[in-house]
C-alpha cells in the first residue's frame, strides 16, 4: 500500500541520524515509488543551527551521497530535492517551521497527513513535543519518537505524559529500527509458521539464548550523544530487549499491533529486574581521549548481561545479551542453544570430538542474513566420532533483495500508514526501565578492553557454563 499525501517534518535535521539514516532512507523510498504521490519533507532545527532551503538540499545531497544506496543524481534526485525545505524552530519561536508546514500543505493541496520525526536526543524530546503542541502542529499529526525513550523510569514516564498531553497514543510511534529489519520480522514466521520449530521453542528443549550485537565501529565522533547515553541505553534496553521480546513472546492471536504488542509486553512483565552482579560494563581503551569525552568518563561502550524470564515457557533459561563498540567484528546474531540428549551411548572419544558444542539455531540478521541449524553427525570412518555439521539458509542466495527495505525505511512507511505493529508502546517501555533500574542505581565499574578485541575477559565468566557463539572460530 502507498500512504496518503504527507508532509514529513524532521526535527534534528542537521544531526547524525538524519544524515546517516533518515535522508538516505527517504530518498530510497522515493526512488522505490513508496512515498505518496504528493509529499514534502521539511528539515527543522533550532535557529542557531538552522539552514536555508538551498543549504538543506546540499546537506541532504551530501548525506545521500555518503550513506545512500544509490547516488543522488539525475531527474530522480532533482525531483526529490525539489520537495525539501527548511523551517527553523525554537520553543520561543516556532514561526518559521509553522510557515514551512503551511506552505507545504498549500503546495500539496487537500488535507495531507502530517508526520513529525523527532530525531533528537531523549533530553530534548519533551520540549520539542510541547513546542509542536503550542505551535498548533500536533493536531491530527503523527509523531515518531527516537530511542532511547527517556533515560530511566522517571524520565520515560514524564516523557510519556508530556507526549500524551499533545498526541493521543494511537498517533505515537516510538521507533526502534531493529524491529524494521527483515530478519527480525522473520522471527515471527520462523517461530510460528513451522511445526519443526514451534514445539521445541521453550525451556524443555532450549538451554540458553544469546542475543549478540558486537560493532566494529567506535563512537564515530558522537561523544555528545554517547557520553550521556552509553551502550546499555543505546543498544541493550532498546534494540536487544525488543529482539528478546520477539524471541520469547507467546503466539499472538493475530499479527495486528494490539496483539503483537500485548504479547511482547507480557514478556517484559515477566523479566526479572537486572542483577548488577550479572552485568559486565566495558570501555574501550582510548575512549576517554575521544574529543568531547570526559577524561574520567564512566560511560560504558560495551554492556553484557544475563537475564531471566520468569514465566512458564522460559523459567530457568538464561538469556545473554551483549553489545559493544570497537569490537573485533560487526555482527547481529541470535543463538539458541538446545539441550543435549544423554550421549552416554557414544564412546568418550566420540563425545570429546564434538567439542562441547551442541545443537544450535543461529539467526544472523545482518541484512540480508542467514539462519543456520548446527547439529552433530558421524564423521565418516571406522570409528564413531561426532562432528559439527550445519544447514544454512541464506537470504541473499534465496531471494533477490530488490524489494528489501532498511529498518528505518520500513518503519517510516508504516508510520505514514498508521500501522503501529513494529513500534513500542508506553507500558512496554516503562516496564523495561523498571527492569533496568537496579543496574542504573548501582552499575558495576567499567572494565577496559582493547579496541578490535572481543571485550574484557569477564564476559567469558558471565556466560558460564555456556560459551559465546561469537567469534565463530573459538
Ligand atoms: C543505533 C545506535 O540505534 O543503532 C548506534 O544509536 C548503533 O550506536 C546503531 O551503531 C546500529 O544499528 P545497525 O542497524 O547498524 O546495526
Amino acid at each position: 500500500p502507498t500512504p496518503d499525501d504527507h508532509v514529513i517534518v524532521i526535527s534534528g535535521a542537521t544531526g547524525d541520524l538524519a544524515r546517516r539514516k533518515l535522508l538516505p532512507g527517504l530518498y530510497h523510498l522515493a526512488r522505490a515509488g513508496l512515498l505518496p504521490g504528493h509529499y514534502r519533507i521539511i528539515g527543522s532545527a533550532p535557529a542557531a543551527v538552522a539552514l536555508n532551503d538551498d543549504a538543506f538540499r546540499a546537506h541532504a545531497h551530501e548525506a545521500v551521497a555518503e550513506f545512500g544506496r544509490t547516488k543522488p543524481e539525475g531527474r530522480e534526485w532533482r525531483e526529490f530535492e525539489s520537495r525539501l525545505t527548511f523551517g527553523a524552530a525554537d520553543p520561543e519561536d516556532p514561526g518559521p517551521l509553522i510557515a514551512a508546514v503551511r506552505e507545504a500543505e498549500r503546495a500539496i493541496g487537500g488535507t495531507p497527513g502530517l508526520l513529525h520525526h523527532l530525531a533528537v536526543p531523549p533530553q530534548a524530546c519533551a520540549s520539542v513535543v510541547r513546542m509542536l503542541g503550542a505551535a498548533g502542529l500536533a493536531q491530527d499529526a503523527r509523531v515518531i519518537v527516537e530511542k532511547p525513550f527517556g533515560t530511566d523510569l522517571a524520565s520515560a514516564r514524564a516523557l510519556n505524559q508530556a507526549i500524551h498531553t499533545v498526541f493521543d497514543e494511537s498517533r505515537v510511534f516510538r521507533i526502534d529500527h531493529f524491529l524494521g529489519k527483515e530478519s527480525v520480522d522473520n522471527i515471527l514466521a520462523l517461530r510460528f509458521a513451522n511445526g519443526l520449530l514451534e514445539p521445541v521453542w521453550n525451556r524443555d528443549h532450549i538451554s540458553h539464548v544469546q542475543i549478540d550485537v558486537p560493532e566494529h565501529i567506535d563512537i564515530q565522533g558522537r561523544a555528545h550523544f554517547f557520553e550521556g547515553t552509553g551502550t546499555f541505553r543505546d543498544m541493550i534496553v532498546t534494540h536487544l530487549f525488543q529482539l528478546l521480546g520477539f524471541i520469547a513472546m507467546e503466539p499472538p492471536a493475530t499479527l495486528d499491533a494490539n496483539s503483537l504488542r500485548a504479547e511482547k509486553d507480557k514478556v517484559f512483565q515477566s523479566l526479572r529486574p537486572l542483577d548488577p552482579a550479572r552485568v559486565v560494563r566495558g570501555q574501550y581503551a582510548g575512549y576517554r581521549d575521544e574529543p568531547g569525552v570526559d577524561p574520567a568518563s564512566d560511560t560504558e561502550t560495551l554492556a553484557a548481561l544475563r537475564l531471566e524470564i520468569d514465566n512458564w515457557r522460559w523459567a530457568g533459561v538464561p538469556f545473554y545479551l551483549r553489545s559493544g563498540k570497537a569490537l573485533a567484528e560487526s555482527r547481529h546474531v541470535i543463538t539458541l542453544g538446545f539441550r543435549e540428549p544423554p550421549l552416554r551411548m557414544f564412546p568418550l572419544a566420540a563425545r570429546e570430538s564434538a567439542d562441547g558444542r551442541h545443537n544450535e539455531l543461529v539467526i544472523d540478521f545482518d541484512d540480508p542474513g542467514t539462519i543456520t541449524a548446527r547439529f552433530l553427525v558421524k564423521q565418516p570412518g571406522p570409528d564413531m566420532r561426532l562432528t559439527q555439521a550445519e544447514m544454512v539458509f541464506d537470504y541473499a542466495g534465496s531471494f533477490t533483495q530488490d524489494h528489501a527495505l532498511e529498518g528505518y525505511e520500513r518503519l517510516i512507511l508504516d508510520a505514514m500508514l498508521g500501522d503501529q505493529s513494529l513500534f513500542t508502546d508506553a507500558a512496554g517501555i516503562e516496564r523495561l526501565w523498571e527492569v533496568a533500574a537496579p543496574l542504573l542505581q548501582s552499575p558495576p565499574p567499567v572494565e577496559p578492553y582493547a579496541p578490535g578485541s572481543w571485550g574484557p575477559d569477564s564476559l567469558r565468566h558471565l556466560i558460564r557454563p555456556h560459551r559465546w557463539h561469537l567469534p565463530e572460530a573459538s
Side-chain angles (χ1 to χ4, degrees):
T2 313
D4 295 335
D5 293 348
H6 257 84
V7 176
I8 302 169
V9 178
I10 305 175
S11 296
T14 54
D16 197 65
L17 178 66
R19 202 164 65 92
R20 276 172 205 274
K21 300 280 188 185
L22 307 187
L23 292 165
L26 285 163
Y27 183 53
H28 183 78
L29 287 176
R31 283 188 48 115
L34 293 170
L35 288 184
H38 301 281
Y39 68 90
R40 291 284 183 283
I41 298 168
I42 302 175
S44 185
V49 290
L51 304 175
N52 62 29
D53 292 353
D54 283 342
F56 181 50
R57 288 175 185 154
H59 177 78
H61 187 271
E62 248 171 62
V64 175
E66 188 171 356
F67 297 106
R69 283 181 271 170
T70 40
K71 294 279 155 254
E73 55 195 19
R75 192 177 51 80
E76 276 167 321
W77 172 256
R78 285 197 302 277
E79 206 159 274
F80 179 78
E81 181 188 61
S82 71
R83 321 230 186 169
L84 303 181
T85 58
F86 203 90
D90 285 290
E92 327 66 66
D93 181 18
L97 177 60
I98 301 176
V101 171
R102 300 299 169 229
E103 171 55 32
E105 287 170 342
R106 254 196 310 278
I108 291 176
T111 44
L114 178 56
L115 175 67
H116 294 284
H117 193 132
L118 309 191
V120 300
Q123 300 83 351
C125 222
S127 87
V128 177
V129 167
R130 274 192 288 270
M131 183 269 291
L132 294 176
L137 292 176
Q139 220 187 354
D140 297 329
R142 298 194 177 109
V143 64
I144 299 181
V145 186
E146 271 302 325
K147 48 123 302 241
F149 188 90
T151 52
D152 59 10
L153 180 58
S155 60
R157 277 197 181 135
L159 184 52
N160 274 326
Q161 269 164 15
I163 290 177
H164 288 152
T165 56
V166 177
F167 293 96
D168 182 76
E169 178 67 16
S170 66
R171 301 192 164 270
V172 182
F173 292 74
R174 295 177 195 74
I175 200 166
D176 187 302
H177 81 276
F178 271 43
L179 296 189
K181 290 181 189 277
E182 273 291 336
S183 325
V184 174
D185 222 5
N186 190 43
I187 292 173
L188 295 176
L190 188 68
R191 283 192 58 190
F192 300 126
N194 293 297
L196 179 71
L197 294 173
E198 190 279 329
V200 298
W201 207 273
N202 56 51
R203 63 194 299 267
D204 295 334
H205 300 282
I206 291 177
S207 66
H208 75 289
V209 178
Q210 302 178 24
I211 303 178
D212 202 4
V213 185
E215 293 187 280
H216 186 59
I217 52 168
D218 58 21
I219 59 160
Q220 299 196 298
R222 294 196 303 157
H224 175 64
F225 166 77
F226 207 81
E227 268 288 90
T229 309
T231 293
F232 177 75
R233 289 183 173 94
D234 184 35
M235 299 294 290
I236 307 267
V237 77
T238 50
H239 300 322
L240 275 67
F241 274 32
Q242 292 299 327
L243 294 178
L244 173 129
F246 270 63
I247 289 288
M249 70 163 72
E250 295 301 312
T254 66
L255 291 181
D256 72 21
N258 288 342
S259 310
L260 260 185
R261 303 202 301 183
E263 292 306 338
K264 195 148 53 76
D265 286 357
K266 277 195 231 162
V267 173
F268 298 158
Q269 283 303 330
S270 306
L271 282 177
R272 251 191 234 174
L274 291 181
D275 174 358
R278 307 269 190 184
V279 178
V280 172
R281 293 170 71 238
Q283 190 187 69
Y284 63 82
Y287 173 72
R288 292 177 185 184
D289 307 327
E290 301 257 10
V293 170
D294 177 351
S297 173
D298 179 52
T299 300
E300 79 283 351
T301 59
L302 172 146
L305 47 92
R306 179 192 153 114
L307 260 179
E308 289 191 46
I309 306 176
D310 270 330
N311 67 11
W312 283 68
R313 185 182 289 270
W314 295 114
V317 179
F319 281 71
Y320 301 100
L321 275 49
R322 171 171 74 171
S323 185
K325 302 277 188 218
L327 292 174
E329 289 177 37
S330 288
R331 299 290 300 275
H332 302 80
V333 180
I334 298 174
T335 307
L336 290 92
F338 285 82
R339 292 193 196 285
E340 207 185 323
L343 287 179
R344 290 272 153 225
M345 62 190 275
F346 295 100
L348 186 61
R351 283 181 264 147
E352 279 172 349
S353 56
D355 189 27
R357 293 274 188 166
H358 311 302
N359 291 181
E360 283 179 342
L361 185 71
V362 184
I363 304 171
D364 185 323
F365 60 102
D366 282 334
D367 278 336
T370 56
I371 299 172
T372 306
R374 304 178 73 170
F375 49 95
L376 298 178
V377 293
K378 177 185 175 297
Q379 207 171 296
D383 307 324
M384 174 56 89
R385 294 183 74 80
L386 297 175
T387 191
Q388 283 275 342
E390 54 183 40
M391 290 193 289
V392 184
F393 162 74
D394 174 14
Y395 259 96
S398 306
F399 301 109
T400 66
Q401 297 300 309
D402 298 353
H403 300 291
L405 295 180
E406 282 192 354
Y408 269 104
E409 296 161 2
R410 163 75 193 274
L411 294 174
I412 291 172
L413 195 59
D414 280 2
M416 278 191 273
L417 292 165
D419 181 351
Q420 292 181 308
S421 317
L422 297 174
F423 294 84
T424 58
D425 60 9
I429 292 282
E430 289 183 13
R431 172 63 190 160
L432 289 180
W433 285 120
E434 236 165 56
V435 169
L439 172 67
L440 300 181
Q441 253 150 38
S442 18
V446 288
E447 299 173 38
Y449 62 94
S453 72
W454 280 98
D457 270 353
S458 48
L459 288 175
R460 272 187 295 146
H461 305 293
L462 178 77
I463 199 169
R464 268 193 198 145
H466 309 291
R467 356 185 204 168
W468 293 102
H469 173 77
L470 294 175
E472 263 146 333
S474 80

